[in-house]
Amino acid sequence: MKPPQFLVLLLACALCASLQPVFGGDLKLTETADTIRISQRDQTVLEYVKTARPVPEGIEKHFSRSGYIHPIYTPTGQELTGDYPEDHAHQHALYFAWVKSKFDGKNVDFWNQAKDLGKIEFREVQKLNREKQNVSFSVKHAFMVKQGDKWIDAIHEVWTVTVHQTPEDHFLFDIVSVQNCVSEKPLGLSEYHYGGMAIRGNYQWLKEKEDHSIKPGDLQFLTSDGHDRWKGNHTRPNWVALSGKIDGQDISATVFCSPKNFRAPQPVRLHPNKPYFCFSPMVEGPFEISPGNEYVSRYRYLVTSKAIDVNVIEKYWDEYAKTEK
């Protein structure tokens, strides 16, 4: 039985309305069936992945995923993030995943997709919002585990991504992740050396294993405590900055960990040769996400087309820390 024509028209209008651009100052948010893109002054800031993109040739299909951000761009148009890298195809640009976990007595791993012990996917757009100085969107993810031949939801997560109006020399955006148990069963997180909110950088920054040399343009890490990628691993800084050259252009990106976060300042996993790091609270010991208790994570991202300027980063940290008290 076909639905009445007026209902078809109503649904079509609703769909069209949901895909209309949302503006805030010079910011523009555009939703399509597959992505949510935010741009400023006609330069893309970031793109959120609603529909899993085709897996590159030579990479197994089980690495397919949705519910993350890629690409993130610099103000001069360089692609900061990397997706489906050949060395670690499960690292998807800007993403959140737990590693050594337990659910209902079974081992779960949402990070290492090849194990087939857990997976994450986009479910729905909950809200698009426009303010005078920012635009934002809220999206729902499902963290799923296997029960027999079926996948069931263990955790639901809502990301709220807010991009702020900024001058031309930098981009600034926030991510708030809120995770809740779907059932009365908790998700247990074991003590482990990585996992959590992560960012994977451009493929040009990948170095050979055990190569600790620093050549012009190479990726470098700097923490708020003044440590590099080797001395800073598993320390607990307020922020981590990465910098180098992409396509010959100096860039830097700094991630601030909110003082409100669980175990803040959270330990960080700084990889010795791969262009990624993550905030990993489980480095300090096990914990669980329990029914009825939200697990909330908050981070701010500062992206520039310049080399690291510690004075500028500290200024932005002070501003962020004040708003997060």
Side-chain angles (χ1 to χ4, degrees):
M1 180 177 178
K2 292 185 178 180
Q5 188 171 2
F6 80 91
L7 183 57
V8 173
L9 290 172
L10 184 63
L11 290 171
C13 289
L15 177 61
C16 289
S18 70
L19 300 181
Q20 292 300 308
V22 175
F23 292 90
D26 289 333
L27 291 164
K28 178 182 178 183
L29 183 154
T30 305
E31 182 188 7
T32 70
D34 300 321
T35 65
I36 298 174
R37 181 185 302 111
I38 297 180
S39 57
Q40 184 171 209
R41 292 179 290 273
D42 296 324
Q43 168 64 52
T44 301
V45 178
L46 57 81
E47 192 165 277
Y48 172 81
V49 179
K50 292 167 58 180
T51 302
R53 290 169 174 156
V55 177
E57 186 177 351
I59 292 177
E60 298 294 333
K61 299 299 182 185
H62 55 242
F63 289 112
S64 176
R65 187 187 152 170
S66 59
Y68 62 97
I69 291 174
H70 177 73
I72 298 170
Y73 286 99
T74 68
T76 48
Q78 285 71 42
E79 198 169 286
L80 171 67
T81 48
D83 192 12
Y84 294 114
E86 291 184 4
D87 59 288
H88 270 40
H90 54 266
Q91 293 181 354
H92 297 281
L94 202 168
Y95 63 106
F96 198 133
W98 300 119
V99 188
K100 192 176 181 181
S101 317
K102 276 192 177 294
F103 179 79
D104 197 19
K106 298 178 181 178
N107 293 330
V108 183
D109 187 339
F110 300 101
W111 183 291
N112 296 290
Q113 292 171 279
K115 293 182 178 180
D116 201 33
L117 294 176
K119 61 182 181 179
I120 302 168
E121 68 178 21
F122 162 80
R123 283 292 172 82
E124 65 180 9
V125 176
Q126 294 194 332
K127 186 178 182 181
L128 306 178
N129 191 55
R130 176 193 67 193
E131 301 292 341
K132 186 175 181 180
Q133 295 296 322
N134 63 64
V135 294
S136 64
F137 61 88
S138 295
V139 286
K140 182 178 179 180
H141 305 153
F143 285 55
M144 298 174 288
V145 300
K146 258 186 177 178
Q147 278 197 349
D149 295 331
K150 296 181 179 180
W151 289 94
I152 66 164
D153 293 358
I155 295 288
H156 284 164
E157 176 187 48
V158 174
W159 272 17
T160 298
V161 179
T162 303
V163 178
H164 301 278
Q165 180 76 39
T166 57
E168 294 183 0
D169 64 344
H170 69 280
F171 293 144
L172 191 70
F173 64 94
D174 299 330
I175 297 180
V176 178
S177 159
V178 180
Q179 297 183 5
N180 285 284
C181 294
V182 175
S183 67
E184 293 304 308
K185 298 172 183 177
L187 179 71
L189 286 304
S190 301
E191 182 175 337
Y192 205 59
H193 65 284
Y194 69 90
M197 183 65 88
I199 185 167
R200 170 77 191 212
N202 189 291
Y203 73 93
Q204 296 178 33
W205 285 336
L206 180 64
K207 295 180 72 70
E208 295 297 326
K209 191 175 183 180
E210 307 302 331
D211 182 358
H212 289 194
S213 65
I214 298 294
K215 300 180 180 67
D218 281 355
L219 172 66
Q220 297 188 57
F221 286 93
L222 178 67
T223 74
S224 58
D225 301 317
H227 295 313
D228 60 19
R229 69 191 304 172
W230 300 288
K231 291 183 178 179
N233 186 49
H234 290 170
T235 60
R236 300 178 67 177
N238 292 323
W239 52 260
V240 175
L242 53 148
S243 66
K245 289 183 183 290
I246 299 175
D247 299 330
Q249 170 68 48
D250 281 319
I251 73 94
S252 69
T254 306
V255 187
F256 304 97
C257 175
S258 168
K260 290 183 178 179
N261 285 347
F262 175 64
R263 292 179 175 167
Q266 293 176 332
V268 290
R269 166 57 171 161
L270 306 183
H271 200 278
N273 66 290
K274 300 185 188 303
Y276 98 89
F277 85 91
C278 53
F279 284 98
S280 304
M282 75 291 298
V283 167
E284 290 292 306
F287 63 94
E288 70 174 23
I289 302 174
S290 57
N293 294 301
E294 293 182 337
Y295 181 86
V296 184
S297 306
R298 306 169 180 86
Y299 304 95
R300 172 163 287 183
Y301 300 78
L302 171 67
V303 181
T304 81
S305 293
K306 300 177 182 178
I308 288 176
D309 186 326
V310 173
N311 291 329
V312 171
I313 292 172
E314 284 292 340
K315 171 178 173 276
Y316 277 94
W317 164 251
D318 289 342
E319 292 175 357
Y320 183 53
K322 286 177 183 177
T323 65
E324 290 292 288
K325 287 183 177 178

